[in-house]
Amino acid sequence: MNDNHIEILCEPADLRVRLAQWRAQGQRLVLVPTMGALHAGHMSLVKEAKRLGDRVLVSVFVNPTQFAPNEDFGVYPRRLETDAELATQAGADLIFAPTPQAMYPQGFATTISLTGPATVGLEDKFRPTHFAGVATVVAKLFNLVRPDVAIFGQKDYQQLQVIRQMTSDLDMDIGIVGAPTIREKDGLALSSRNLYLTVAERDCAPRLYAALLQCAREIGMGTASIGAALEATTKNLKEMGFVVDYLEARHAETLEPVASPEEGPIRLLVAAKLGTTRLIDNIAV
Ligand code: PAF
């Protein structure tokens, strides 16, 4: 325990002891995996977790294997004390904050290999090693915690589908819940990386969500074909100063391309840079 009254465990062995006690009491465990820098989006995941189980465990681990060498692993915000306060406020029971050595000891040699939703040409096209790192660390967390349920934000929509697929394919007996994206009042999806935005970029950033909404409206109402709506929205975003990695309409479950609304349910997914900050977002059509 610390001043925040939430228990923080860093060693897998200590975690197993605590979880065995809870399991012996018949308590239902819910895991909220995070990389820390908690914000209102994470708080909403913890609150949902409390609804779904008896004990809520938040993992805080900036996972090195899901970052490419040119990415922001070194500067990713790390602030365990604040995270502990926020997790406590949201009602979590325990934080698991392992060290990189505990998760990836010398000689670690296993990586989960993925196809399906992990190789559909969205995030994977721009971050080719990302999902193998995510899946491997999530599989480790699942094995360490053996939760009844795990909750992930829909903001990382492709990640959510990758984890659903892995959990099903590997017969992991864990319920996967996707929780709605939490947004600022102006529509910007909450993300720990929003901290990187300059004041001018922060002013511009909500226009990404506004553009997604407009595009979804056009596709949904049939006022434009999917191709035309995507093309016009991409052009608009570029004019606003976004560097668009992708804007795609995909099948909401398989993430395969769709040519018409009849092939739906459709999810619109976007990734775009403002300066050096890469934003991702998605909505249902
Ligand atoms: O979404 C995240 O924060 C991370 O990708 C996750 C799922 C915690 C794995 O490191």
Side-chain angles (χ1 to χ4, degrees), residues 157 249-258 263-267 269:
Y157 194 82
R250 294 297 180 95
H251 189 281
E253 277 153 32
T254 63
L255 298 183
E256 291 295 340
V258 284
E263 293 173 37
I266 296 179
R267 199 90 192 173
L269 303 104

Side-chain angles (χ1 to χ4, degrees), residues 234-242:
T234 305
K235 186 166 170 282
N236 287 343
L237 285 170
K238 285 180 180 166
E239 282 166 7
M240 292 172 208
F242 290 92

Side-chain angles (χ1 to χ4, degrees), residues 33-35 61 63 66 130 134 137-138 152 156 159 163:
T34 82
M35 296 205 302
F61 180 61
N63 173 36
Q66 68 190 75
H130 175 65
V134 169
V137 82
V138 170
F152 298 84
D156 295 292
Q159 167 175 282
I163 289 164

Side-chain angles (χ1 to χ4, degrees), residues 42-93:
H42 298 110
M43 308 270 279
S44 80
L45 299 183
V46 173
K47 285 176 192 153
E48 177 63 8
K50 277 178 74 71
R51 232 178 40 79
L52 297 172
D54 303 305
R55 294 286 183 174
V56 177
L57 185 151
V58 176
S59 62
V60 174
F61 180 61
V62 185
N63 173 36
T65 65
Q66 68 190 75
F67 291 80
N70 61 327
E71 293 182 348
D72 54 344
F73 175 70
V75 296
Y76 198 87
R78 289 159 172 86
R79 42 185 203 198
L80 190 54
E81 278 304 306
T82 316
D83 289 343
E85 276 166 34
L86 292 173
T88 308
Q89 277 171 31
D93 297 287

